[in-house]
Amino acid sequence: MIASIAMIPGMIMVVGSLLLPLLGKKAAWGALALSVISLVMFLLMPFGTSGNVEVLGNALTMVRIDKLSFIFALVFHLAAVMSSIYALHVEDVKQHVGAVMYAGGAIAAACAGDLLTLFVFWELTAISSVVLVWASNTKRSYKAGMRYLIIQVTSGVLLLSGALLRLAEAGSLCFGDMGEFGVIGLRVPGGAISTSGLLILIAFGIKCAFPLLHNWLQDSYPKATVTGTVFLSAFTTKLAVYSLARGFAGTEELITVGCVMTLFPIVFAVIENDLRRVLAYSLNNQLGFMVVGIGIGTELAINGMAAHAFCHIIYKSLLFMSMGAVLYRVGTTKATELGGLHKSMPWTTIFCLIGAGSIAGFPLLSGFVSKSMIITAAAHEHQFIAWFVLLIASAGVMEHSGIKIPFFAFFSHDSGKRPKEAPWNMLLAMGIASLLCITLGIGYKLLYNLLPYESHYSPFTTGHVVTQLQLLLFAALAFVALMKTKLYPAEVDSTNLDTDWIYRKAVPWLLGGAGTAIAFVDTGIRKGFIGLIKGMIETLRKRFNDQGLMGRAWSTSTMAVWATLILGLCLMLYYL
């Protein structure tokens, strides 16, 4: 058992993170060393399954490395290395412990071959990652972290419940296609919903930030530390994407879910003032593309999902790094308080523009070669509504992440702030991420060779390049026109609510109303009860005073009559 556990990719990071406190102020370098060592060990591991053990009569496969798990575990390692470099200046040891354990748990979960192993590391990522939110040491971050932890642990409980039901149904804990037992489209041949598959799907959906289950992301990520948000953006939701691809590829309902995910964040991202929160909404948008690819389920779509997840982790980390550098130097990421930072933070500005171009899908950058595979797969399968929605979403992401983020942070009106450039380690991490964005965009075949299925797709066709450039240019034109006509929503220092309206407004209102109703009923009951007691006391007082029936003096004859009646009653009861 110990030997099998030691073989799990990422385990050296999980165990090693517990030793980081011994390094004191050098814990940051220890975190980077653990990430690099884990990456090297992972690259040396052969494809296949290992770590097979038997627990309570059930066979577990702790390690499964195939092309799907390999590409996710590889990009998780790269994200861990870049994020660790980005956090080299941090002296808070608990952040390094939480971050390395979190990254190692995500890597181990991506290589899990059974549902029980997946559950263990699924929960480990939840428990360790909340440290990165709480490390901000504010009341708001504490409350957001508690909400985040409750939601993430709930996801794990649902996963475990589904795994146990699956064991009862199929006699196996193997983590594979849920369709093996009739969960294609969530329904078995008879038409009934498979409880185990539904529970597992909901567990994955929570972590993937499905619509109405998504607000934990916008609630917690912007409240995490400068470096913590970079780690958070890379692992949690992409682990859920991987799990959906492993278990529910081809589930058509996911196409609709993904389309909704790509559209609704656009509105909130446009009106949001906090630029890290804008990026959190943008993350929802990009996850929608991946979920659509999983729902389509063809080889091209799954390849597109894997490629987009790989590129997204890198360019989204880059964007969060750039906003983190702004937060670190200026102390805020609110658009109303920024502008003109390109004058004193030129390198951060350049790196942010590369990330913005990548997420928007500019040719020769990484987003262009991955996003198009999913859109093309939708067209090939005649999913024209999904195809059209993805085109709209592509234009939308250009507006809120491709333009809004760099424009309001580094250009726009001059805020007069002249902070120092980001620290060298932040610039190095952003430089590595930028280099990867450019390399993947130009040398896209390097990425395509890692995909789960053999790919003959070529992104640089005339039609695709022209279509994408038209989308981007018209989105840019629309932004300029709206800004010039002052129709673009003004940046206002406020808190915008979506589903968090439920716990910020609705729940307090309901609890307040319920409290008022309970207080009203309680007051009525108290008054009625007290009135009843007072009435009884008054009645007894009247009956037992010297003028009352029970208190006045009775004659001897009356007493004799009462004694006779009572004696007669006793005799009757005795004979009966």
Side-chain angles (χ1 to χ4, degrees):
M1 173 69 78
I2 295 176
S4 298
I5 293 175
M7 296 174 61
I8 299 175
M11 183 55 65
I12 189 174
M13 298 173 69
V14 174
V15 176
S17 66
L18 300 175
L19 303 177
L20 290 178
L22 301 177
L23 299 178
K25 293 184 178 180
K26 295 183 179 179
W29 290 97
L32 176 59
L34 286 171
S35 300
V36 173
I37 293 171
S38 181
L39 172 59
V40 173
M41 293 176 61
F42 174 72
L43 293 176
L44 294 176
M45 293 185 69
F47 275 53
T49 60
S50 59
N52 299 317
V53 298
E54 188 171 311
V55 177
L56 300 177
N58 297 299
L60 301 181
T61 303
M62 293 186 175
V63 180
R64 173 183 53 202
I65 301 179
D66 56 14
K67 298 203 74 172
L68 181 60
S69 60
F70 178 84
I71 190 171
F72 275 88
L74 175 60
V75 73
F76 283 169
H77 273 106
L78 294 176
V81 172
M82 289 189 300
S83 301
S84 296
I85 294 173
Y86 187 78
L88 282 176
H89 66 284
V90 177
E91 296 182 356
D92 186 1
V93 176
K94 66 177 179 291
Q95 289 192 53
H96 296 298
V97 173
V100 174
M101 184 178 294
Y102 172 41
I107 292 166
C111 295
D114 63 85
L115 290 170
L116 184 58
T117 303
L118 176 67
F119 163 75
V120 170
F121 291 107
W122 193 270
E123 291 291 66
L124 181 63
T125 59
I127 296 170
S128 56
S129 60
V130 75
V131 175
L132 303 175
V133 182
W134 284 338
S136 293
N137 295 323
T138 65
K139 186 176 181 180
R140 294 182 65 195
S141 66
Y142 173 76
K143 290 182 177 180
M146 286 300 299
R147 291 189 291 266
Y148 171 86
L149 185 60
I150 290 170
I151 292 171
Q152 296 299 313
V153 170
T154 299
S155 171
V157 171
L158 291 172
L159 174 59
L160 179 61
S161 301
L164 294 176
L165 284 176
R166 179 177 167 88
L167 177 63
E169 294 171 357
S172 172
L173 287 170
C174 178
F175 178 32
D177 184 4
M178 300 294 124
E180 295 173 9
F181 302 99
V183 196
I184 296 294
L186 308 185
R187 299 185 181 280
V188 297
I193 295 177
S194 169
T195 305
S196 65
L198 185 58
L199 287 174
I200 293 172
L201 179 60
I202 295 174
F204 294 167
I206 291 174
K207 223 174 184 75
C208 195
F210 277 8
L212 303 182
L213 302 174
H214 70 280
N215 190 254
W216 61 265
L217 197 157
Q218 288 78 29
D219 184 30
S220 58
Y221 282 22
K223 296 182 180 70
T225 63
V226 169
T227 57
T229 305
V230 178
F231 279 95
L232 289 169
S233 69
F235 301 110
T236 297
T237 51
K238 264 61 72 180
L239 174 58
V241 166
Y242 162 79
S243 301
L244 282 170
R246 177 70 70 181
F248 294 95
T251 302
E252 292 188 359
E253 286 82 353
L254 292 178
I255 299 176
T256 302
V257 172
C259 287
V260 175
M261 290 176 71
T262 63
L263 290 180
F264 84 85
I266 296 175
V267 176
F268 291 104
V270 168
I271 63 176
E272 181 57 53
N273 185 44
D274 187 336
L275 297 183
R276 289 211 299 176
R277 194 170 163 91
V278 171
L279 288 177
Y281 278 115
S282 173
L283 204 159
N284 273 116
N285 168 276
Q286 296 297 289
L287 290 170
F289 280 86
M290 302 173 210
V291 173
V292 169
I294 294 169
I296 295 172
T298 61
E299 290 188 0
L300 178 60
I302 296 300
N303 276 348
M305 174 278 303
H308 199 50
F310 193 101
C311 294
H312 174 263
I313 288 173
I314 295 171
Y315 63 62
K316 183 61 72 173
S317 295
L318 175 57
L319 287 169
F320 271 113
M321 286 178 189
S322 63
M323 289 302 100
V326 170
L327 179 61
Y328 182 75
R329 287 306 194 195
V330 181
T332 183
T333 54
K334 292 184 177 180
T336 50
E337 301 175 21
L338 298 176
L341 297 185
H342 71 281
K343 297 178 180 179
S344 57
M345 302 182 72
W347 284 107
T348 302
T349 303
I350 293 171
F351 294 143
C352 182
L353 288 172
I354 293 173
S358 296
I359 195 173
F362 270 95
L364 302 180
L365 293 175
S366 58
F368 178 80
V369 303
S370 60
K371 188 186 302 181
S372 61
M373 297 181 76
I374 301 174
I375 298 175
T376 303
H380 284 181
E381 296 304 310
H382 306 290
Q383 296 282 350
F384 294 118
I385 294 178
W387 172 81
F388 184 67
V389 168
L390 294 182
L391 286 181
I392 296 175
S394 296
V397 76
M398 168 62 179
E399 192 284 326
H400 61 69
S401 289
I403 299 177
K404 179 174 182 174
I405 293 293
F407 178 74
F408 285 105
F410 300 102
F411 304 100
S412 186
H413 62 279
D414 192 342
S415 63
K417 296 180 173 67
R418 295 294 182 269
K420 293 180 180 179
E421 181 58 276
W424 69 269
N425 60 296
M426 286 186 171
L427 293 176
L428 177 59
M430 288 188 282
I432 294 172
S434 298
L435 181 61
L436 286 173
C437 288
I438 296 171
T439 301
L440 293 173
I442 298 174
Y444 61 91
K445 290 185 178 180
L446 296 173
L447 174 62
Y448 289 1
N449 290 335
L450 299 174
L451 298 178
Y453 302 101
E454 184 178 359
S455 177
H456 301 288
Y457 177 77
S458 177
F460 289 98
T461 61
T462 302
H464 177 220
V465 172
V466 171
T467 300
Q468 187 66 12
L469 287 176
Q470 285 177 332
L471 278 175
L472 298 176
L473 291 175
F474 275 109
L477 179 62
F479 179 84
V480 172
L482 291 173
M483 290 294 293
K484 289 294 184 180
T485 57
K486 297 183 179 181
L487 294 176
Y488 191 87
E491 303 304 310
V492 180
D493 189 4
S494 62
T495 300
N496 298 313
L497 303 180
D498 54 47
T499 55
D500 55 345
W501 175 87
I502 296 172
Y503 64 80
R504 291 184 186 271
K505 298 292 185 180
V507 171
W509 180 82
L510 290 173
L511 290 177
T516 302
I518 292 172
F520 178 78
V521 173
D522 177 70
T523 301
I525 292 175
R526 286 174 182 271
K527 287 183 178 180
F529 184 73
I530 291 173
L532 178 63
I533 296 297
K534 288 182 177 179
M536 293 175 62
I537 292 174
E538 182 64 22
T539 300
L540 291 173
R541 188 185 66 78
K542 290 180 179 179
R543 294 290 185 270
F544 284 91
N545 64 16
D546 56 357
Q547 300 298 322
L549 177 64
M550 305 302 294
R552 69 190 181 203
W554 286 11
S555 65
T556 304
S557 58
T558 301
M559 294 297 295
V561 171
W562 278 110
T564 302
L565 290 174
I566 293 172
L567 179 61
L569 180 60
C570 291
L571 290 172
M572 185 183 298
L573 292 173
Y574 174 78
Y575 285 109
L576 290 176

